[in-house]
Amino acid sequence: MAGARALLRLCPLLLPQDRHGTAYEGFVTAQGRDFHIRILLPVDLQLKNARIECSWHLKKILHGYRHILKQRLHSCPDLVSFMVELKTVLEIALKNTQDLHIPRPPEYYSCLVRDLEILGWNRVAYVDTGLTTVKLKAEDSSGRQHLITLKLNAKYPTEPPGCLVDFPVPFAVSWMPQNSLLDIYNQFLAALESLKEFWDALDEIDGQTWVLEPENPTRSATTRRIAIGTNVSVNVEVDPRHPNMLPECYFLGADHEVNPLRTKLNNNMHLWDPKISLLQNLRELLEIDFPSRAVLEKSDFAKDCGICYAYRLDGSAPDQVCDDPRCGQPFHQACLYEWLQGLPTSRQSFNVIFGECPYCNK
């Protein structure tokens, strides 16, 4: 209910279309203008599998920002957070769209070229032909490559450029009219170093374990679904500001497999040591060794859905497993939900449906 109220305050013209909160339709407002939008969520309300439908006008405005919005869908914890991000991106997009039709004075170009020369052309990854979009590249102290996209308006440098980064946290620029691109670049470098431990922790997980989801994680992604065994995994949500603290852990698999893991985590929680890596802590708390990329293939524990016979469905891996130890067949939640809805013997309580396993009939 609190989330629904927060969404209503943020977007009063965006209303739920069903009692499950899986469909919203209405308008999102930016710069005094209303844009029609429709948001469809899966039954588990996971944003990463949401579908966004909008008017052709809004689609045209957001065309150059699709990759940013896709990243935000994967990284935002709830719909309210995503709508905040969407409105921010829309404000930037509208501002830059309007600026395209404003002729720039000669001082704009001379100032921009001077700033780029001071910054160093070796740090410039891209400049568009209209000199309104600049991409700068940087390397953090761990050797990772990063980009920052700057959208400059006609009043630059009086007004700061819009900044788009692949970060798990907001990036706010401190700007004065006498500042230059070098000041933004230095703030970008400082932000990269503040996130170093977060990316170190996730890089270790990506390099030493089998990550089932996301398949190709962006730098803004804060979750990893790590394989533990056949049809057993743990979803880890890492706090980018406190990456060495105990993350939120959600186990997926049959009850007889995951219940002992939950017990170990609860019993050993006090042993968490922020001085050692996140992955090593997880190994010690759960008293397991995660499947190694050097020894096992993904196919050894990543099994296809028992209904659609595919592993990936709209980017998601199977996340539901039959609890019968003799079966243990995995399914995509969407496949299982649709299957059970079609069975006359199934019963539903609020957003949970109960029925027989399509594989073993238990």
Side-chain angles (χ1 to χ4, degrees), residues 156-217:
Y156 176 85
T158 304
E159 293 184 1
C163 300
L164 299 173
V165 293
D166 189 11
F167 282 3
V169 295
F171 176 63
V173 173
S174 176
W175 182 265
M176 298 290 287
Q178 63 268 27
N179 288 147
S180 69
L181 296 184
L182 182 60
D183 296 290
I184 291 181
Y185 191 80
N186 288 333
Q187 293 177 53
F188 180 54
L189 290 177
L192 291 179
E193 288 312 299
S194 71
L195 292 166
K196 177 185 179 301
E197 291 185 350
F198 167 75
W199 284 322
D200 284 346
L202 291 184
D203 280 357
E204 183 183 18
I205 290 174
D206 292 338
Q208 297 189 22
T209 71
W210 278 109
V211 174
L212 303 179
E213 294 180 279
E215 192 171 13
N216 298 299

Side-chain angles (χ1 to χ4, degrees), residues 2-3 12 17 27-28 34 45 72 74 102 104 136 150 158 167 177 194 220 247 252 257 272 324 334 337:
Q17 302 298 302
F27 298 88
V28 58
D34 296 331
L45 304 182
R72 293 301 177 255
H74 278 264
I102 301 175
R104 278 141 167 85
L136 305 178
L150 307 179
T158 304
F167 282 3
S194 71
S220 60
L252 297 103
E257 296 275 9
W272 186 271
D324 193 305
Y337 190 81

Side-chain angles (χ1 to χ4, degrees), residues 14 35 66 200 239 302 315 323 336:
L14 185 65
F35 299 92
R66 287 179 300 174
D200 284 346
D239 184 344
D323 285 333
L336 191 59

Side-chain angles (χ1 to χ4, degrees), residues 14 24-28 35-39 52-54 86:
L14 185 65
Y24 290 83
E25 187 167 5
F27 298 88
V28 58
F35 299 92
H36 182 260
I37 190 170
R38 189 165 182 244
I39 301 172
I52 310 295
E53 299 175 354
C54 58
L86 175 61

Side-chain angles (χ1 to χ4, degrees), residues 95-96 99 104 108 132 151-156 159-162:
K95 193 173 182 181
N96 290 328
D99 287 339
R104 278 141 167 85
Y108 168 89
T132 60
K151 300 282 187 178
L152 296 99
N153 61 50
K155 295 181 180 179
Y156 176 85
E159 293 184 1

Side-chain angles (χ1 to χ4, degrees), residues 1 47 54 63 121 136 158 162 222 226 246 264 285 331 354 360:
M1 289 298 292
L47 280 178
C54 58
H63 178 75
W121 290 99
L136 305 178
T158 304
T222 59
I226 310 170
L246 177 65
K264 288 178 182 178
L285 264 65
F331 307 96
F354 302 87
C360 69

